[in-house]
Amino acid sequence: MKDGGRLAAAIEVLTDVETRHRPVQVALRDWGAAHRFAGSGDRTVIGNLVFDALRNKASLSARMRDGRPRALALATYCLTWAKGIEALADTLEQDHHAPEALSEEERDRLSNEDLADLKPHELADVPEWLWPRFQAAFGDNSIEEGRALATRAPVDLRANPLKSDREKVLKRLAHTGAMPTGLSPWGVRIEAKPGLGRMPHVQAEEGYRKGWFELQDEASQLAAHLAQAQPGMQVLDYCAGGGGKTLALAAAMQNKGQLYAYDADRLRLAPIHERLQRAGARNIQVRDPASSSLDDLIGQMDLVFIDAPCTGTGVWRRRPDSKWRLTDRALEDRIKDQRHVLKNASQYVKPGGRLAYATCSVLPEENQDQADWFLQNEPDFQSVSAGDTWKDTLPQAAAPSYISERGDILLSPASTGTDGFFIALFQRAG
């Protein structure tokens, strides 16, 4: 396929996402299934166009004065990918599979580089209703942080010390351009490719199959580290999901002690078993909510880790369609879920034990406000500074920009080059 046909396909997928309210991955998958002639390279470019259009939907819509799929796809190719108007015009005119040629009005809007008329939330590519919350989280850095959340995410890996080390992983992945991450001592990063660029399929690598590394964003690695799981501990990963942080906790424990993996949604737990085997993690007991109870763990855990259900605002780089589907009602539901999880999970912490609360959100209501609520409602717990833990255990890493007076940490793409992630630590009175 030529770029004209790829633009037409991107417009088709964006229309499907908009009119049928479908997740973008599902729409792309179904388009590929219905168009078998499109090769893997074509599908990569079409996916890049669709994802970049959604990442920058607010700013591109404002510049084009048109938020329809055609305007978004053309602006992505011309502006975001910096192809320029003439290259776009030639593509549209020379490929009979391409969308119709540019109108004079479209040419004028694509030529206008003046952004003075754009509102702050448009410049930041943040939904307007969320803008006050972004300002509460980031203050004067709100536009910068929104723009960073509208970029492509790198592929981050965590070297698995149960089977390998970072130097070994870097050597094996040298052909991908892999580099060490700047904050996590176990992290490996493959930077995002611009425009038509295709990312390597790291799960096809021999090192992945052997369990030398796992896919895990650097922020998630750091959250697991700050929880400070130690060899010999009794640890509960209360919202384990697919097991990414479970594996990081197991590695920190050096397979010594006992780690329980639990999630109220058993379908989310399904991938964990294959991952545990590949990683060589032998101290993990998976508790299926349909067939087992956690009653025997009440008051017994040295550490309970909560990766709480949230709006996912911190991972917009990876799931850009989700930011335009998010509603105030969904945020209210997540806040209720988080309080329910915090209250339930805290009962498993033994006297003197710790509770770690993390979200992949940047919204204060899901982060600092929930930590406040927990401390007000659970007098047996007191705050532990995640900022001090960072300083003591990650001396080589620059301190995060966003640390609350209590010591809670907020990571972000613009400040730390990671997904948006929040971590707060608590200790039960001994």
Side-chain angles (χ1 to χ4, degrees):
M1 294 177 69
K2 297 179 180 179
D3 281 357
R6 292 163 169 173
L7 279 164
I11 292 170
E12 185 178 340
V13 173
L14 286 166
T15 301
D16 189 26
V17 170
E18 180 181 282
T19 58
R20 299 176 65 187
H21 308 289
R22 307 178 79 209
V24 65
Q25 291 284 22
V26 174
L28 283 166
R29 182 199 65 201
D30 289 354
W31 186 93
H35 300 80
R36 298 288 186 183
F37 61 83
S40 61
D42 297 320
R43 293 194 298 272
T44 294
V45 174
I46 294 163
N48 286 346
L49 279 167
V50 169
F51 273 92
D52 283 346
L54 292 169
R55 289 184 178 104
N56 300 281
K57 181 178 178 180
S59 60
L60 294 179
S61 297
R63 293 183 69 171
M64 296 296 288
R65 300 177 193 171
D66 184 349
R68 289 174 294 182
R70 171 183 166 90
L72 294 177
L74 299 187
T76 297
Y77 189 85
C78 178
L79 301 175
T80 306
W81 291 12
K83 292 288 188 177
I85 294 177
E86 295 312 316
L88 173 60
D90 289 345
T91 294
L92 298 181
E93 292 168 6
Q94 294 174 10
D95 184 353
H96 68 277
H97 294 294
E100 64 183 54
L102 287 173
S103 68
E104 286 303 313
E105 188 175 43
E106 287 173 329
R107 277 184 171 272
D108 289 344
R109 290 173 182 173
L110 289 168
S111 301
N112 186 5
E113 298 181 1
D114 184 7
L115 305 181
D117 291 339
L118 268 65
K119 299 174 183 177
H121 78 274
E122 293 170 337
L123 285 169
D125 274 297
V126 171
E128 185 172 9
W129 72 274
L130 278 177
W131 187 240
R133 294 171 166 92
F134 252 69
Q135 291 178 303
F138 297 120
D140 293 341
N141 300 326
S142 297
I143 292 177
E144 179 188 10
E145 293 289 355
R147 293 300 316 140
L149 278 166
T151 61
R152 294 184 188 178
V155 172
D156 281 358
L157 315 170
R158 179 185 58 80
N160 175 20
L162 297 178
K163 286 194 170 184
S164 185
D165 58 54
R166 180 157 73 171
E167 290 308 311
K168 186 175 181 179
V169 172
L170 285 169
K171 184 177 180 180
R172 185 56 64 97
L173 296 179
H175 63 284
T176 68
M179 300 290 289
T181 52
L183 301 173
S184 168
W186 310 274
V188 172
R189 172 164 294 176
I190 303 171
E191 291 290 357
K193 307 292 191 297
L196 283 71
R198 186 176 187 177
M199 295 298 284
H201 182 47
V202 294
Q203 285 134 309
E205 296 286 337
E206 180 185 16
Y208 178 79
R209 296 194 301 272
K210 289 184 174 180
W212 293 356
F213 61 83
E214 287 287 331
L215 284 162
Q216 187 177 21
D217 183 77
E218 187 179 21
S220 177
Q221 297 177 37
L222 293 166
H225 167 76
L226 291 170
Q228 287 294 282
Q230 301 292 333
M233 277 187 172
Q234 296 288 305
V235 178
L236 170 62
D237 186 355
Y238 190 71
C239 301
K245 292 176 200 66
T246 309
L247 293 174
L249 295 168
M253 296 168 70
Q254 301 172 24
N255 266 338
K256 300 172 184 176
Q258 187 68 57
L259 175 53
Y260 301 90
Y262 173 84
D263 198 289
D265 183 351
R266 65 181 310 198
L267 292 178
R268 294 188 69 221
L269 269 176
I272 198 171
H273 300 281
E274 186 271 334
R275 296 182 75 181
L276 299 185
Q277 184 176 9
R278 188 178 65 247
R282 299 187 301 274
N283 67 330
I284 299 175
Q285 184 180 132
V286 179
R287 292 288 182 96
D288 187 326
S291 58
S292 60
S293 166
L294 297 180
D295 288 350
D296 59 315
L297 307 184
I298 293 174
Q300 301 298 311
M301 296 295 102
D302 296 293
L303 169 67
V304 174
F305 190 95
I306 302 172
D307 183 6
C310 69
T311 56
T313 51
V315 293
W316 279 348
R317 297 185 301 175
R318 305 175 194 280
R319 304 171 191 165
D321 55 325
S322 68
K323 69 176 163 181
W324 310 114
R325 295 201 310 266
L326 182 60
T327 64
D328 196 36
R329 174 63 183 272
L331 174 58
E332 291 176 3
D333 289 344
R334 295 294 79 74
I335 290 171
K336 292 177 183 176
D337 292 341
Q338 289 156 6
R339 293 183 176 181
H340 176 76
V341 166
L342 272 165
K343 184 172 182 60
N344 280 0
S346 64
Q347 67 181 314
Y348 302 106
V349 182
K350 76 178 187 180
R354 279 192 174 192
L355 177 71
Y357 173 77
T359 74
C360 55
S361 173
V362 299
L363 304 182
E365 293 96 324
E366 299 183 277
N367 295 338
Q368 290 92 339
D369 292 357
Q370 296 291 50
D372 291 342
W373 175 89
F374 179 70
L375 290 169
Q376 291 166 5
N377 286 273
E378 297 293 339
D380 283 353
F381 285 84
Q382 62 183 14
S383 178
V384 175
S385 173
D388 287 348
T389 304
W390 179 295
K391 182 174 62 176
D392 294 340
T393 63
L394 295 167
Q396 83 290 349
S401 298
Y402 307 108
I403 304 179
S404 72
E405 291 184 8
R406 188 170 52 224
D408 305 337
I409 288 176
L410 178 63
L411 307 175
S412 69
S415 67
T416 51
T418 67
D419 284 345
F421 227 92
F422 174 81
I423 181 74
L425 304 175
F426 311 96
Q427 185 167 21
R428 189 168 206 158

